[in-house]
Amino acid sequence: MSLLIDADYIVYKCCAANESEIDWGDDVITVTSRFSDAYEMVERELYKIANDLGCFDDSILFFTDSSNFRKLIDPAYKGHRTRKKPCGYRRVINKLKEEYQVVVMPSLEADDAIGIYATKESGHIICSPDKDMRQIPGALYDLSDGVVTITPEEGRRWHLIQTLAGDQTDGYSGVPGFGIKRAVAFFEEHGYTWESVATAFAEKDLDESVALANARLAKILQHTDYDFTNQTVILWTPTASDRADDRAAVQDATD
């Protein structure tokens, strides 16, 4: 068993927390950071995860690549994120590469690489606060509230929910006027199917191609969504199971 850790989040948080501003006057302000303090904070966060889960021997740290396949689907994806990385971010990652197993997959975000690893070989624990990871079946630790088990049905439903709800942080809109609660209510009424997704978009005069683009942006990759030979993404397309209503199956799983 390995801990598959979203290290993007941890390193960014720790480096940002250790930034300091110095106002020199005369229109000059500099931002500084002490590398050792930032790195020690990262190590404390990693130790806390290992201690909470009782697993100290095998942690794999995942980072996002500099290129992103989702920009081929929508060039505006995450386009509003213009803030530079905090001081020491790259240096901390380089140091972690010396001490830990670090994974960066070409054109993928850390979430996708984690999803691929977690589904290619079962038994790992995903460690991430990102709600997107509720798409991936298996054990999920959100860094605070313990481990939950995501079933395949729950993961599939969550992908469809996120397709309707969108994610303003990531820069895809979903169906205008929808959030998570409204998306859940819509699916409970109409069924967790691709036809329901298309209907929700159509009611806002948006065709199925827009629905599909949102679904592909929302989708966290699994091992079946990746061509390992060519290191390319297999874009998500609705299957027969996505066109079948799984409400009864989900209810059975929760009884």
Side-chain angles (χ1 to χ4, degrees):
M1 178 187 75
S2 296
L3 304 182
L4 310 181
I5 300 176
D6 179 357
D8 268 344
Y9 166 79
I10 293 172
V11 173
Y12 191 100
K13 179 183 73 170
C14 293
C15 288
N18 281 278
E19 285 187 337
S20 299
E21 285 189 2
I22 301 176
D23 188 343
W24 300 95
D26 297 325
D27 202 33
V28 176
I29 300 173
T30 59
V31 178
T32 65
S33 175
R34 186 182 293 276
F35 167 76
S36 59
D37 290 344
Y39 191 78
E40 287 171 8
M41 182 178 287
V42 170
E43 288 201 304
R44 287 197 299 272
E45 292 289 324
L46 295 175
Y47 178 84
K48 180 181 182 300
I49 294 170
N51 188 59
D52 285 350
L53 299 175
C55 181
F56 294 92
D57 297 329
D58 196 3
S59 294
I60 306 176
L61 311 185
F62 291 81
F63 292 96
T64 295
D65 190 33
S66 57
S67 62
N68 191 325
F69 80 92
R70 288 181 176 83
K71 288 189 175 292
L72 299 177
I73 301 170
D74 181 1
Y77 180 74
K78 289 189 175 180
H80 61 292
R81 293 192 180 186
T82 57
R83 188 185 188 280
K84 72 175 186 64
K85 293 291 192 292
C87 285
Y89 182 83
R90 297 299 176 192
R91 184 175 173 187
V92 167
I93 292 175
N94 288 335
K95 179 64 175 177
L96 288 169
K97 288 178 178 179
E98 298 174 5
E99 306 291 338
Y100 296 86
Q101 182 178 350
V102 169
V103 172
V104 182
M105 295 182 68
S107 80
L108 302 188
E109 297 181 55
D111 291 352
D112 299 304
I114 291 173
I116 289 169
Y117 267 65
T119 55
K120 191 171 189 293
E121 181 182 84
S122 62
H124 303 306
I125 300 177
I126 295 173
C127 305
S128 172
D130 195 329
K131 66 183 186 302
D132 294 349
M133 302 313 296
R134 290 170 62 182
Q135 294 184 28
I136 305 301
L140 172 63
Y141 173 58
D142 70 359
L143 308 190
S144 60
D145 295 328
V147 178
V148 297
T149 299
I150 308 297
T151 67
E153 292 84 3
E154 289 168 338
R156 191 186 76 84
R157 284 198 310 164
W158 190 251
H159 172 229
L160 296 180
I161 290 166
Q162 288 192 290
T163 299
L164 291 196
D167 190 326
Q168 297 303 317
T169 301
D170 287 344
Y172 64 96
S173 60
V175 177
F178 271 66
I180 295 296
K181 290 183 178 180
R182 186 172 177 185
V184 170
F186 185 88
F187 283 122
E188 289 297 326
E189 179 181 355
H190 297 280
Y192 288 90
T193 68
W194 179 248
E195 281 69 21
S196 296
V197 172
T199 295
F201 277 88
E203 288 179 353
K204 298 294 184 177
D205 295 323
L206 299 170
D207 65 30
E208 192 167 350
S209 66
V210 178
L212 183 58
N214 275 268
R216 287 173 169 174
L217 292 172
K219 176 67 174 175
I220 302 301
L221 303 183
Q222 300 185 29
H223 75 283
T224 52
D225 304 310
Y226 192 71
D227 181 339
F228 289 89
T229 301
N230 297 307
Q231 295 187 319
T232 55
V233 173
I234 302 169
L235 292 178
W236 184 84
T237 300
T239 64
S241 63
D242 297 306
R243 300 181 185 278
D245 187 357
D246 73 349
R247 283 178 295 179
V250 171
Q251 184 61 48
D252 290 343
T254 57
D255 286 342

